[in-house]
Amino acid sequence: MTEADVAAHAFVKPLLVRFKHCDPAGIVFYPRYFEMMNDLVEDWCAEGLGLSFGEMHLRDGMGVPTANIECRFSAPSFLGETLSRSLEVSRLGRSSMTLRIRFAGANDETRLQATLVLVWVAKGEGGRPAPIAVPDAQRKAIVRFAAPDSVIEGVS
């Protein structure tokens, strides 16, 4: 999957690798990639789906916690580099969605590929999160980011 392959449907956002992301050797410390992925999801929700985490969590009492994550690190990233981060939807169900994330460096070199399963939740009994149907406005927006090989529940 190259940048050209995802340009038509993916949410793409660059990221400068900063000192805070790196170990003493100037290489991105792997747990920081998980923070970078969450930042990408947060930006996608705000910019792509029209619902910021602040609105989602504080105003609406909802969230999209990660139920599963699989990640492959292909090559190191270094302090000062700019990474192209892309997010596309590979599956959309009633209350969950599967996202494919890719980070690429110079010359479109893959640095990381990940698959995330997020579940839409709202406060249920006793304040515990409980799965809910993806809100209609966000469902319509999510479909715009569907990969060509995606599975969208409720669409024939």
Side-chain angles (χ1 to χ4, degrees):
M1 171 173 62
T2 68
E3 190 171 339
D5 295 332
V6 299
H9 60 271
F11 179 78
V12 179
K13 191 146 184 134
L15 173 77
L16 176 65
V17 175
R18 298 180 181 277
F19 181 75
K20 69 179 182 177
H21 299 131
C22 298
D23 63 17
I27 299 170
V28 172
F29 183 45
Y30 78 92
R32 300 293 175 244
Y33 279 119
F34 291 92
E35 293 174 348
M36 294 174 186
M37 281 189 270
N38 192 73
D39 290 346
L40 181 63
V41 169
E42 189 169 344
D43 290 343
W44 176 62
C45 285
E47 299 169 28
L49 306 185
L51 184 63
S52 73
F53 267 30
E55 295 165 330
M56 184 187 305
H57 290 274
L58 302 175
R59 183 191 69 197
D60 299 340
M62 296 187 305
V64 286
T66 302
N68 188 55
I69 188 167
E70 294 178 21
C71 190
R72 179 181 172 93
F73 304 98
S74 303
S77 298
F78 298 92
L79 178 62
E81 288 186 308
T82 297
L83 301 177
S84 175
R85 301 171 299 159
S86 63
L87 176 156
E88 62 183 357
V89 177
S90 63
R91 184 188 163 281
L92 177 59
R94 186 191 80 78
S95 61
S96 68
M97 57 189 168
T98 303
L99 308 177
R100 283 193 295 239
I101 292 180
R102 177 177 182 257
F103 288 12
N107 301 317
D108 202 34
E109 178 190 27
T110 298
R111 303 300 176 80
L112 168 149
Q113 289 179 303
T115 303
L116 283 68
V117 177
L118 305 181
V119 179
W120 285 79
V121 299
K123 290 180 184 174
E125 273 193 51
R128 297 185 69 106
I132 61 168
V134 177
D136 288 339
Q138 281 65 53
R139 177 175 276 284
K140 288 176 186 167
I142 289 167
V143 172
R144 293 192 341 254
F145 299 97
D149 64 344
S150 65
V151 175
I152 307 297
E153 189 175 288
V155 176
S156 49

